[in-house]
């Protein structure tokens, strides 16, 4: 468990994204290995891509169109019960959506809410735009740190110069454990804190490994 002197690391996620899920599980392992404390925030692939659907492949277009429900439920839970509920809710929801492969329907949402100790009525938020202003504000806070060309997750933490270090990713599978997770964290911070550094990338040869 991170102590009170741990560095706060802000993590913006969309619960429908399997790659953000992999990174989030890695980040929980980093908490065990390094003095950091994750603070969870909601961002949305649906918000990010709502004005460029015509440029997306059809399969991804459908994912984006149907991605509003889970993020709306997450933001509704945060608005009513505070940011501290997001971590348990994300774990409960992400476990169902990704390792278990359950559909993004009301039954999945209510089961995740119940596991997180939240009222099942919050699932009603999936079908209304009542919380969309708060959703967009949370999304904007994260995406403005890194730019519109990336997706989820976004990670940010204080920099040595008093500013902030922020980046998209890392995209990794399976989620590293133990000292391997810590080494990836150390290396990610090294490159992300280098002035003028923007990108390392290679083609993905494997999908998310949830085991």
């Amino acid at each position: 468990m991170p102590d009170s002197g741990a560095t706060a690391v802000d993590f913006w996620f969309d619960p429908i994204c399997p790659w953000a899920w992999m990174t989030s599980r890695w980040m929980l392992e980093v908490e065990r290995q390094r003095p950091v404390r994750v603070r969870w925030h909601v961002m949305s692939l649906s918000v990010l891509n709502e004005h460029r659907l015509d440029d997306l492949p059809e399969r991804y277009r459908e994912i984006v169109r149907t991605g509003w429900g889970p993020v709306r439920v997450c933001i509704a839970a945060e608005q009513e019960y505070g940011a501290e509920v997001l971590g348990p809710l994300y774990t409960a929801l992400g476990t169902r959506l990704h390792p278990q492969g359950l559909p993004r329907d009301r039954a999945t949402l209510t089961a995740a809410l119940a596991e997180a100790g939240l009222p099942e009525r919050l699932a009603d938020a999936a079908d209304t735009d009542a919380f969309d202003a708060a959703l967009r504000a949370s999304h904007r806070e994260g995406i403005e740190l890194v730019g519109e060309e990336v997706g989820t997750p976004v990670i940010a933490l204080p920099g040595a110069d008093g500013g902030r270090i922020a980046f998209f990713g890392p995209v990794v599978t399976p989620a590293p454990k133990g000292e391997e997770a810590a080494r990836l964290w150390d290396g990610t911070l090294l490159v992300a804190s280098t002035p003028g550094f923007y990108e390392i990338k290679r083609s993905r040869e494997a999908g998310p490994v949830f085991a």
Side-chain angles (χ1 to χ4, degrees):
M1 218 33 197
D3 60 39
S4 58
T7 299
V9 176
D10 294 297
F11 189 110
W12 279 264
F13 68 93
D14 184 326
I16 72 169
C17 178
W19 293 105
W21 172 254
M22 299 302 301
T23 308
S24 72
R25 300 309 94 180
W26 163 70
M27 203 65 237
L28 291 178
E29 187 70 13
V30 172
E31 274 194 328
R32 300 184 186 99
Q33 304 294 329
R34 294 291 186 264
V36 302
R37 174 176 54 88
V38 180
R39 299 188 301 197
W40 304 98
H41 308 273
V42 184
M43 65 181 295
S44 170
L45 292 173
S46 297
V47 171
L48 182 67
N49 293 290
E50 62 184 336
H51 298 306
R52 53 193 187 200
L53 285 176
D54 291 343
D55 299 326
L56 299 175
E58 178 54 37
R59 178 181 172 278
Y60 193 71
R61 213 178 299 169
E62 186 61 21
I63 291 171
V64 170
R65 285 197 197 103
T66 60
W68 291 95
V71 288
R72 283 169 166 169
V73 170
C74 287
I75 207 75
E78 180 189 25
Q79 290 289 295
E80 188 163 344
Y81 292 98
E84 63 273 10
V85 305
L86 283 178
L89 178 56
Y90 183 26
T91 291
L93 184 54
T95 298
R96 287 166 171 79
L97 295 178
H98 303 302
Q100 296 179 13
L102 296 178
R104 297 197 298 267
D105 59 14
R106 186 178 180 89
T108 298
L109 293 172
T110 55
L113 287 164
E115 181 181 321
L118 295 165
E120 294 182 11
R121 62 174 171 75
L122 288 172
D124 294 342
D127 301 315
T128 174
D129 63 2
F131 295 94
D132 281 9
L135 171 61
R136 291 177 185 278
S138 181
H139 172 87
R140 186 168 58 250
E141 183 184 5
I143 208 68
E144 285 181 349
L145 295 170
V146 291
E148 297 281 344
E149 293 82 18
V150 302
T152 176
V154 170
I155 294 175
L157 66 157
D161 60 357
R164 298 192 88 188
I165 300 169
F167 50 90
F168 159 74
V171 176
V172 62
T173 187
K177 303 293 185 184
E179 186 56 26
E180 184 182 355
R183 286 198 306 269
L184 177 57
W185 175 249
D186 296 341
T188 300
L189 290 190
L190 177 63
V191 296
S193 61
T194 300
F197 179 87
Y198 294 108
E199 187 171 2
I200 283 180
K201 191 169 185 178
R202 57 186 172 189
S203 297
R204 278 180 263 180
E205 297 178 348
V209 177
F210 300 126

